Amino acid sequence: MWSRDLAHARKRARATLTEKGQANLHDRDEMIRAAYGLAHVLAGLLDALDKETGR
């Protein structure tokens, strides 16, 4: 998984959460895109955390 550093990953996670939080709950495709985007950014955040702690 690609990540720059923890600060960048946190900023990206917050921005994605704000963006995807606006998704229409009644639009199946929009919800799938939101879930995928959030999963991707969460993986990057965890990667950055692991990198920061030396894992």
Side-chain angles (χ1 to χ4, degrees):
M1 176 66 28
W2 176 86
S3 68
R4 288 186 185 170
D5 58 23
L6 185 54
H8 177 261
R10 287 176 63 188
K11 184 176 180 181
R12 187 165 180 240
R14 289 182 198 284
T16 302
L17 184 58
T18 299
E19 175 190 342
K20 301 304 181 183
Q22 304 300 314
N24 180 353
L25 200 56
H26 303 288
D27 184 330
R28 180 180 179 274
D29 292 336
E30 201 171 325
M31 290 276 65
I32 290 170
R33 285 190 300 274
Y36 177 79
L38 289 168
H40 183 74
V41 84
L42 178 59
L45 180 58
L46 290 173
D47 184 49
L49 283 167
D50 286 347
K51 195 177 196 181
E52 177 101 349
T53 59
R55 289 186 178 178

